[in-house]
């Protein structure tokens, strides 16, 4: 299971990579593996305001559809346009090419509500039991 | 899934192999079955282009020694079995008095008065009870489901892969016929049938030899294991129904659009209800639809037409061949090819267009 050290994680298996005031957002390696082949990523609109833990995107696999929740609050500033034609990037590269969108983070202190890589790893071990 | 739920599930003879090969396992029809190995899309594409093997040991098999007429067997199923040649398979239904579908099944004629009935896993005990109740006179009935393994070998390369094991005779089997083939001192039934729309075969083998056959098949590097996930996408692309979703006791084969597997020229349980329905018109009809996008309608989504609720999705999935969502569902009222519908679940709205079956046509 790939759990990069520099990211923050939610219990719903989203990740956020903070770069200054911006954050890249996507779903984790565990999430893509559990969903199986991703066939559609429903992204928010550019400029949408999102609130931590609120529904911000959807993801569909061959078998099922799932909700994606915002790891932080802020405003969506760019989308991963490649996912429209190549949703499989979420499976192949969940933390890099398969990110969902970039947001301007409005309150960086919210990251204290997220897990670091070590805690997320432990959280996954708990799920496996 | 609760641990107790897993504990009550049945396991096929190949269970340990699936787990050791890293298959994703899930409950299906009371069984713990492999949903995927490499991935549904890859397995789907491999079956359409090469050859896959599926563990279908969960399905049920009954052996009957019965005169088709005096035993009333011909009255229990909708397909005409009296006219079947020995060595033929025929698809049809068992209906209740109201015309509702108790199960869909394939009948194999083994001899003049000798039959194999292949039924769905979840309906084995109900089917057995229905048959025992309605059979008459001198009949021998044996449920061989537990003792019988079944491997489906499907895809354009299936004949080549099986020739190496069973000999060249396998390639001579015509569609919906079967033969007996020698293997390891056994006489095995192999039919040219399947649930994928590809050239394919179903092999029946004593359960304790299923693992050996599975391993032998996989020695051929063209053959890859496939799970029930792609079995579902493959069958749905062909518009084949899945019992419990697209067929149930609440709908008749007429409503489901499978009239051609019903012989109205003979007597059978449920016929009166079908005739009445044919005359009066069906309340609901199974239609096929394709999403306008990559989004997929799903089982139990509501179906709307011009803002009114008209039905429910029975099967829905992403189609790996069409790269769009596809589905089937029962709708009431007028609904024709090209009509626009909307499938809905909560805030999710997926517009679809009614299309003709099959969704997928081989080039």
């Amino acid at each position: 299971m790939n759990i990069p050290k520099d990211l923050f994680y939610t219990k719903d298996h989203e990740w956020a990579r903070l770069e200054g005031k911006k954050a890249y957002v996507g779903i984790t390696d565990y999430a893509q593996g559990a969903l199986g082949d991703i066939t559609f990523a429903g992204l928010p609109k550019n400029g949408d305001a999102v609130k931590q833990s609120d529904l911000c995107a959807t993801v569909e696999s061959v078998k099922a559809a799932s909700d994606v929740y915002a790891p932080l609050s802020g405003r969506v500033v760019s989308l991963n346009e490649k996912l429209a034609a190549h949703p499989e990037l979420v499976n192949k590269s969940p933390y890099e090419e398969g990110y969902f969108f970039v947001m301007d983070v409005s309150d960086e202190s919210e990251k204290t509500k997220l897990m670091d890589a070590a805690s997320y790893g432990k959280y996954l071990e708990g799920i496996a039991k | 899934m609760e641990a107790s739920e897993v504990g009550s599930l049945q396991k096929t003879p190949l269970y340990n192999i699936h787990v050791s090969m890293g298959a994703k396992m899930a409950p299906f029809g009371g069984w713990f079955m492999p949903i995927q190995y490499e991935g549904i899309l890859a397995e789907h594409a491999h079956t359409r282009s090469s050859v896959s093997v599926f563990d279908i040991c969960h399905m049920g098999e009954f052996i009957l020694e019965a005169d088709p007429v005096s035993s009333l067997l011909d009255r229990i199923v909708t397909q005409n079995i009296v006219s079947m040649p020995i060595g033929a398979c025929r698809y049809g239904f068992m209906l209740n008095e109201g015309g509702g579908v108790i199960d869909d099944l394939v009948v194999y004629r083994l001899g003049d008065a000798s039959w194999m009935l292949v039924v769905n896993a979840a309906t084995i005990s109900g089917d057995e009870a229905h048959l025992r109740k309605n059979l008459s006179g001198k009949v021998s009935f044996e449920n061989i489901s537990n003792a019988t393994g079944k491997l489906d070998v499907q895809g354009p390369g299936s004949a080549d892969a099986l020739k190496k094991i069973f000999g060249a005779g396998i390639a001579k089997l015509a569609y919906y016929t079967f033969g007996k083939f020698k293997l390891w001192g056994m006489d095995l039934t192999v039919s040219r049938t399947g649930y994928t729309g590809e050239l394919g075969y179903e092999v029946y083998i004593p359960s304790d030899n299923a693992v050996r056959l599975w391993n032998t098949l996989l020695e051929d590097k063209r053959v890859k294991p496939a799970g029930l996930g792609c079995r579902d996408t493959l069958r749905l692309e062909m518009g084949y129904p899945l019992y419990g979703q697209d067929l149930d006791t609440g709908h008749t084969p007429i409503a489901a659009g499978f009239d051609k597997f019903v012989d109205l020229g003979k007597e059978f349980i449920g016929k009166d209800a079908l005739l009445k329905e044919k005359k009066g018109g069906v309340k609901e009809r199974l239609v096929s639809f394709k999403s306008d996008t990559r989004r997929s309608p799903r089982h139990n989504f509501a179906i709307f037409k011009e803002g009114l609720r008209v039905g429910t999705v029975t099967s829905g999935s992403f189609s790996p061949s069409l790269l769009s969502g596809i589905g089937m569902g029962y709708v009431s009222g007028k609904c024709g090819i090209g009509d626009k519908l909307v499938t809905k679940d909560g805030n999710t709205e997926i517009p679809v267009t009614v299309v003709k079956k099959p969704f997928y046509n081989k080039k």
Side-chain angles (χ1 to χ4, degrees):
Chain A
M1 188 69 58
N2 183 8
I3 308 174
K5 292 238 179 331
D6 55 332
L7 309 186
F8 292 93
Y9 299 89
T10 73
K11 285 186 173 174
D12 299 309
H13 311 288
E14 293 89 10
W15 56 261
R17 185 169 63 242
L18 284 160
E19 291 183 2
K21 287 261 179 211
K22 285 188 170 41
Y24 282 76
V25 173
I27 65 169
T28 66
D29 190 27
Y30 171 85
Q32 70 77 20
L35 290 165
D37 293 319
I38 307 289
T39 54
F40 174 81
L43 302 181
K45 286 194 187 70
N46 221 339
D48 274 2
V50 296
K51 199 162 158 275
Q52 188 175 38
S53 304
D54 278 4
L55 180 68
C56 68
T58 57
V59 60
E60 293 191 16
S61 67
V62 178
K63 295 300 286 179
S66 302
D67 292 331
V68 177
Y69 301 95
L72 296 161
S73 303
R75 189 169 294 279
V76 177
V77 292
S78 80
L79 307 175
N80 184 356
E81 308 280 0
K82 277 191 191 166
L83 295 186
H86 296 287
E88 73 276 7
L89 289 173
V90 180
N91 295 114
K92 287 182 185 153
S93 174
Y95 300 112
E96 301 291 340
E97 285 189 86
Y99 77 94
F100 277 47
F101 58 85
V102 182
M103 61 189 290
D104 269 340
V105 177
S106 59
D107 179 3
E108 211 185 312
S109 73
E110 282 181 347
K111 74 182 182 191
T112 57
K113 292 179 190 160
L114 303 175
M115 289 177 274
D116 63 14
S119 313
Y120 183 61
K122 282 209 186 89
Y123 175 67
L124 290 184
E125 281 170 29
I127 292 173
K129 280 174 199 162
Chain B
M1 194 175 13
E2 297 297 325
S4 58
E5 191 189 333
V6 173
S8 67
L9 293 170
Q10 291 185 269
K11 292 170 183 169
T12 77
L14 293 155
Y15 173 80
N16 289 330
I17 289 201
H18 300 317
V19 172
S20 71
M21 290 178 80
K24 210 180 260 186
M25 307 294 289
F28 178 85
W31 293 72
F32 209 27
M33 298 299 290
I35 298 307
Q36 64 171 67
Y37 297 82
E38 186 185 351
I40 295 173
L41 295 180
E43 291 161 33
H44 181 107
H46 190 75
T47 312
R48 289 259 180 264
S49 63
S50 185
V51 48
S52 301
V53 57
F54 298 78
D55 172 11
I56 309 298
C57 294
H58 58 306
M59 281 183 74
E61 297 87 10
F62 305 141
I63 297 288
L64 282 82
E65 305 297 333
D67 177 88
V69 178
S70 67
S71 73
L72 306 184
L73 179 59
D74 192 52
R75 294 176 63 111
I76 300 174
V77 296
T78 61
Q79 61 270 60
N80 189 325
I81 61 167
V82 176
S83 67
M84 281 174 72
I86 293 168
C89 310
R90 203 166 274 181
Y91 176 81
F93 310 98
M94 283 199 292
L95 307 182
N96 60 28
E97 290 290 352
V101 180
I102 292 171
D103 204 0
D104 61 340
L105 76 165
V106 178
V107 175
Y108 289 61
R109 189 163 203 170
L110 309 173
D112 277 335
S114 183
W115 315 86
M116 178 165 75
L117 274 50
V118 180
V119 304
N120 284 295
T123 46
I124 291 172
S125 57
D127 290 355
E128 179 172 352
H130 180 74
L131 282 157
R132 286 186 185 279
K133 186 179 147 209
N134 289 288
L135 285 165
S136 173
K138 197 168 155 272
V139 177
S140 129
F141 180 102
E142 195 185 356
N143 180 348
I144 60 162
S145 303
N146 287 334
T148 306
K150 176 173 178 289
L151 300 185
D152 288 14
V153 182
Q154 302 279 307
S158 56
D160 275 347
L162 287 178
K163 265 198 258 178
K164 293 195 345 198
I165 298 171
F166 292 105
I170 209 92
K172 293 190 185 118
L173 281 179
Y175 187 53
Y176 261 71
T177 67
F178 68 92
K180 290 279 185 186
F181 294 85
K182 286 238 182 287
L183 183 68
W184 307 322
M186 299 174 290
D187 263 330
L188 302 184
T189 299
V190 181
S191 58
R192 198 181 135 195
T193 48
Y195 197 43
T196 61
E198 298 298 329
L199 173 67
Y201 300 84
E202 299 181 281
V203 183
Y204 299 86
I205 185 163
S207 291
D208 47 5
N209 275 287
V211 167
R212 188 175 173 195
L213 178 59
W214 175 274
N215 289 334
T216 305
L217 282 160
L218 291 182
E219 280 170 17
D220 183 333
K221 291 300 159 210
R222 292 170 298 182
V223 182
K224 289 190 180 177
L228 295 188
C230 81
R231 185 170 160 89
D232 194 50
T233 54
L234 289 159
R235 70 93 191 166
L236 186 56
E237 284 188 349
M238 299 310 297
Y240 296 158
L242 173 61
Y243 189 80
Q245 290 186 188
D246 314 303
L247 297 171
D248 57 30
T249 50
H251 295 94
T252 69
I254 309 298
F258 297 112
D259 309 43
K260 72 172 181 178
F261 304 108
V262 175
D263 181 1
L264 289 170
K266 68 164 196 174
E267 295 308 312
F268 58 87
I269 299 168
K271 183 181 171 183
D272 290 347
L274 300 196
L275 290 176
K276 208 181 278 177
E277 195 175 48
K278 267 188 118 62
K279 208 170 155 192
V282 293
K283 283 200 283 287
E284 288 189 309
R285 210 158 48 83
L286 191 66
V287 297
S288 306
F289 36 80
K290 182 174 171 294
S291 163
D292 305 340
T293 66
R294 293 181 68 102
R295 305 198 71 185
S296 306
R298 309 283 177 179
H299 179 63
N300 276 338
F301 275 26
I303 303 174
F304 287 80
K305 187 181 180 194
E306 289 157 6
L308 294 174
R309 172 83 188 258
V310 293
T312 305
V313 176
T314 51
S315 284
S317 172
F318 181 75
S319 160
S321 302
L322 276 62
L323 299 180
S324 71
I326 57 172
M328 300 197 281
Y330 284 98
V331 299
S332 56
K334 274 200 164 167
C335 189
I337 306 296
D339 282 3
K340 300 282 181 191
L341 305 173
V342 179
T343 63
K344 285 192 199 182
D345 177 51
N347 292 324
T348 301
E349 288 195 10
I350 301 176
V352 298
T353 305
V354 178
V355 296
K356 248 198 231 168
K357 284 191 299 192
F359 297 97
Y360 169 77
N361 288 290
K362 209 160 175 67
K363 287 179 192 84

